[in-house]
Structures are given as structure tokens and as C-alpha cells.
Amino acid sequence: MLLAALPLAGMAEGEARALDKQGAAHRGGTGAGTGDGTRGEGTGADVGPPAAGPQVSGQLFLGILPYNPTYAARPDNTGRALLRAGGHVDVDLLGEHLFIPLDLNLFTDRDSSALRPSEVDLIGGVASTWKVPGGRTEMGARGEWDATADGKGKGETTGKRSQGYVDVRARFMASLGEHLKTLDGALRGGDISGWLTLGWFTWNPVYFARPDNTGRALLRYAAHLDAAFWRRLAVFADGTFFTDGDRN
């Protein structure tokens, strides 16, 4: 289990999250990092050559937002998140060439209950990862459903307690250590790796394009970069961008 602090603050008052909560465990056997720009929307990385047959693998995570003046605890932008917990599972059918990715995210509201979940996010789909020049590529489709979990918030009166979508995406994953063999020694068993993601919301009745819950997301651009040291420590950065299908 990974215990991590999530520096998710500094947004305008009343704004919600804009996370990519889909994980990516099949990363070519290298790297460390969070996978949240994962593997949102999960954490960790695979080690060793990919298996060709059925297999189940995954990670669990627990995070705390020690400073959070505005980061919402529910899809309707109410509350302030305190804890985030969840995990990622890959159910391999034909190794990484055909697998079912599953993600779970839970948030709690520091304003009402530090332990009772205020939001639950469920993500599932089907994907395939293959070697390509320079790295690996993942193609797949997923559906996500985010819902209020504690019966509180303005969504209880407006009927807007949840949001969801179905998307297709392509992700290119690369590891510098696979091409620069001296990097392992320089980083004491570490690596520098990352990925780029392009996603298209093929069905999206309610998943918003902005943190203030306006517009409908159409495209998702995401990038992740991490540097791992001593096989125990990683420094990482994620960026996620959405476009609004109703305006541009």
C-alpha cells in the first residue's frame, strides 16, 4: 500500500476536481510513480517481463489532503475532501494484450465525516497494450461513474448526485531506462518514465468540462512524468486537460 499526500488545493472557491482517475499498471516493467494521471484516474508499476496468460495484478493507495480550502468532496462540488483511497486492478485475459482494467476512488468530507465516504468513483473497461518503437501503447475503452456516497450535498435536492461517461483512449508509455542502460546505476536502481494520453468521450451526458461543473467534456489530454530513485522514492508530475464539446 502506498501512503501519499495529495497537494490538490489552490483552485477557486466551489470548484471540483479535474482528475484522470484511471490507472495504468501495464507500463513495460519500469518506473514507479502514481499512475493517477491514471491511472487516475491507481498507483505503482509492473516489474519484470509481461505475462502472456491470465493474471490478476493491482495496487491500493491511501492519501490525505492536509491543506484543502476548496477541493470538493462530492461530484456536486460540496464539501472539502480530506481522505482519498482506492485501488487499481488489471484482470489479464491474454496477458497485457487483452485485459480488463478496474479502478475505485473514494473521498471523504472533512466538513462532515473524516472517515465515511462522501463520493465513490467506479471505472471499468477493456484495453490492450503492445510494444511499439520507443515504448508501449495502450488502446482501450472505459466507463466511469462518480456518485455521492453519504446522502449529503446539494445534489440530494437537485437530483444531480452523479456524473458519468464512456470514453476511448490511446496512451503511449516510455521508459528512458530501456534505452539508456547507465541510468539504472546513476539512479541506484531507478528510472525516468512517463506517458501521454489522448481520450475521446464517446458518450457523455453529464461529465463536466470544467471544475465549476459547466460544459460537457469531449477530449482529454494527459501527461505523466516520474523519476524514481533507489527503488523506493519517486518524484512525479501529472497534467490533465479537457475540452468542452458544447463550445469548442
Side-chain angles (χ1 to χ4, degrees):
M1 176 176 290
L2 173 69
L3 178 63
L6 303 179
L8 302 174
M11 295 174 288
E13 183 176 357
E15 293 185 351
R17 67 197 56 80
L19 288 178
D20 181 2
K21 290 170 281 190
Q22 300 179 13
H26 291 307
R27 296 175 50 192
T30 55
T34 70
D36 195 1
T38 348
R39 338 249 293 23
E41 265 244 212
T43 58
D46 294 335
V47 177
Q55 179 175 290
V56 177
S57 61
Q59 308 88 32
L60 298 174
F61 67 87
L62 172 65
I64 184 171
L65 285 72
Y67 172 72
N68 178 20
T70 59
Y71 196 76
R74 300 178 187 85
D76 61 5
N77 279 358
T78 58
R80 293 181 301 145
L82 175 63
L83 298 179
R84 180 187 177 194
H88 172 86
V89 173
D90 283 321
V91 181
D92 294 350
L93 304 178
L94 298 174
E96 65 178 25
H97 296 325
L98 181 62
F99 62 97
I100 299 173
L102 302 171
D103 288 278
L104 170 67
N105 281 263
L106 299 172
F107 294 88
T108 69
D109 184 356
R110 70 198 313 136
D111 296 330
S112 61
S113 175
L115 298 178
R116 181 182 179 182
S118 57
E119 176 179 339
V120 57
D121 305 333
L122 301 173
I123 309 168
V126 61
S128 179
T129 300
W130 295 84
K131 287 185 177 180
V132 296
R136 282 171 168 77
T137 183
E138 177 192 305
M139 305 289 292
R142 291 173 174 86
E144 178 173 345
W145 179 67
D146 304 343
T148 302
D150 59 358
K152 299 181 180 180
K154 63 184 179 183
E156 302 302 314
T157 58
T158 63
K160 297 180 179 179
R161 298 180 55 188
S162 64
Q163 52 181 310
Y165 65 85
V166 174
D167 77 344
V168 295
R169 62 167 54 193
R171 172 180 281 157
F172 174 75
M173 301 165 283
S175 161
L176 187 58
E178 291 184 350
H179 309 284
L180 188 60
K181 300 305 180 182
T182 58
L183 191 63
D184 182 83
L187 299 180
R188 301 297 190 269
D191 191 12
I192 296 176
S193 59
W195 60 73
L196 298 172
T197 302
L198 173 62
W200 170 39
F201 292 82
T202 56
W203 180 75
N204 180 16
V206 293
Y207 199 78
F208 298 108
R210 299 180 186 82
D212 61 1
N213 283 6
T214 59
R216 288 186 304 148
L218 178 62
L219 298 178
R220 181 205 315 262
Y221 311 111
H224 172 88
L225 178 67
D226 64 54
F229 308 88
W230 307 297
R231 301 186 186 276
R232 293 292 184 271
L233 175 67
V235 179
F236 59 89
D238 287 278
T240 305
F241 308 85
F242 296 94
T243 70
D244 184 352
D246 293 333
R247 299 184 60 179
N248 185 359

